[in-house]
Amino acid sequence: MFAAPKKGKEALLGDLAPIDRHSSLGESAYATLKDSLIRGAMQPGTKLTLRSVAQVLEVSTTPARDAITRLIGEGGLINAGPKTVIVPYLSLPDLDEITAIRLSLEGLAAEQATNHVTEAEIHELENLQERINRGLDEGRYTDVLDANKDFHFLIYRRSGMRRLVTIIESLWLRMGPAFNGLYPEFAQSRTGVSNHLWALRGLHDRDPAAVRGAIENDIRSGYRRLSSQLAAVGEQGGESRS
Amino acid sequence: MFAAPKKGKEALLGDLAPIDRHSSLGESAYATLKDSLIRGAMQPGTKLTLRSVAQVLEVSTTPARDAITRLIGEGGLINAGPKTVIVPYLSLPDLDEITAIRLSLEGLAAEQATNHVTEAEIHELENLQERINRGLDEGRYTDVLDANKDFHFLIYRRSGMRRLVTIIESLWLRMGPAFNGLYPEFAQSRTGVSNHLWALRGLHDRDPAAVRGAIENDIRSGYRRLSSQLAAVGEQGGESRS
DNA sequence: TTTTGAAATTTGATGCAACAAAAAAATTAG
DNA sequence: CTAATTTTTTTGTTGCATCAAATTTCAAAA
């Protein structure tokens, strides 16, 4: 059938080159699209066709197809019909589900990170928080959102759990488009600030439960604002068949 | 750039046809490969080439490529080199991470399911448990594993959280290959039985915490057996770069 | 104006060939 | 026999043509 596994020849060179091979048109097309989605650069309902994506990304249909297929697989795009791929709407039930999962997973990641994070990294987090505050003051809300994302993922990555981070990313991917059209109302809130400060303190004190609690509060407060705005915007919520 | 979203024309025919279009060579190639992986039909380290997969599945390289790409995306296969895709080994750290995530997510799913499951479904679960017991008695361990999987996922699906179930599936996908070569030792244990009974009782009593506890115990006891056997088998654990 | 239906267009799926990179095999040099 | 080097084969990537299905366009009929 398939090739049998080879004998594991041990690394004799001390694990010299961890060679990341993240280069291929398909890979970067995927990364680019994914980034657009997470950033909320694409409006829910936007229809993506193979050829239009290929054209925008300046590649042939093959890499474009790769990207779209993978994104559908993780729910970042959905099949809304026979030959129709769109950026998904986030319905309230969808938001509820994603929030529940986020609380579990980001809580876990935050907890785990507490024991691995270094002082230098905590300092880096403080810098990010500075950037958030400044962005809030100066009305640069895109910056706020970006820095907020960096803040969270810097913590999550310190969990040392790679797959966990990947899964969390796929959840943010699902939330991204919902922010579209919600600027700047959403980013204006300063409710997140105190949660971040609590998280920083917990990190510094090596108190996993405190960090988890802070992150959970942050997620919950985001949920409240987002769900009320979603309800206000109206009933455009589509099905979320994956 | 891309097409703007269309106005949502309401369904006038009472939501007649929820038409699921799960047909395409790429889709079924993916499903087939994924199933093999989950069932533990493929040995860790097995090398998959585009053309060999295409040949076995009797399709061209395009659908085979689709399937492989998607599976790599969710960690069911990994890139172990420039032109090498293999079924991943499960290292102890990997198992630790996956178990931690499973406890969070399957616990959540079990909890949620408690409020949605019907009496009929509980009865169905009891039948599955029968099948497990019978398989254990008669030494049909593949059957045991299959029924066990059905038991768990029947519960998880009742959570009503589709994406959650998908994520959990991707975790089982990662565990599957590790069972290969571990039959029948692994399936022989009856430690899972009492956990399942506790879960059933909790479901019947509508006690979410009890159901979660039972599922968590089940996962933990599986972890113990699997980790000790993994350690026994030796140091074949490969990197888990996704 | 609205409706209907047929023609033209666009779309995703699929297979395939060309290509460069990598791996494997064969050959030669020491 | 071993090691180095060349040749051959295999591999993933990419672009593209084809096809059937779905969508859109458009004009004729009501």
Side-chain angles (χ1 to χ4, degrees), chain A residues 181-242:
Chain A
L182 256 42
Y183 304 119
E185 296 81 2
F186 188 85
Q188 280 178 355
S189 167
R190 286 179 186 269
T191 54
V193 176
S194 78
N195 289 321
H196 284 198
L197 294 183
W198 279 101
L200 282 171
R201 178 176 307 189
L203 246 17
H204 185 268
D205 295 346
R206 307 285 164 181
D207 182 347
V211 180
R212 174 189 264 270
I215 293 296
E216 285 184 349
N217 271 336
D218 200 42
I219 294 173
R220 285 206 186 85
S221 96
Y223 168 81
R224 273 182 234 111
R225 280 177 297 138
L226 191 50
S227 64
S228 64
Q229 292 203 31
L230 272 189
V233 169
E235 75 306 322
Q236 62 184 3
E239 293 301 289
S240 69
R241 36 201 155 171
S242 58

Side-chain angles (χ1 to χ4, degrees), chain B residues 149-200:
Chain B
K149 184 200 161 196
D150 290 344
F151 184 94
H152 279 260
F153 278 89
L154 177 49
I155 296 179
Y156 301 153
R157 262 191 300 273
R158 286 353 277 166
S159 68
M161 300 167 83
R162 280 195 250 192
R163 183 130 297 271
L164 178 58
V165 175
T166 301
I167 297 173
I168 294 174
E169 247 188 1
S170 80
L171 298 172
W172 283 58
L173 174 64
R174 196 67 187 66
M175 310 263 314
F179 290 113
N180 186 292
L182 257 43
Y183 304 118
E185 295 82 1
F186 189 84
Q188 281 178 355
S189 167
R190 286 179 185 270
T191 54
V193 175
S194 78
N195 289 320
H196 284 198
L197 294 183
W198 278 102
L200 282 170

Side-chain angles (χ1 to χ4, degrees), chain A residues 24-26 60 62-63 83:
Chain A
S24 86
L25 294 184
S60 80
T62 308
K83 292 189 175 184

Side-chain angles (χ1 to χ4, degrees), chain B residues 93-123:
Chain B
D94 283 343
L95 178 61
D96 286 343
E97 169 169 356
I98 291 171
T99 301
I101 303 176
R102 286 187 60 198
L103 286 169
S104 283
L105 259 27
E106 296 179 37
L108 171 63
E111 225 173 63
Q112 295 295 316
T114 308
N115 302 314
H116 298 145
V117 76
T118 65
E119 282 299 326
E121 285 159 348
I122 293 180
H123 192 65

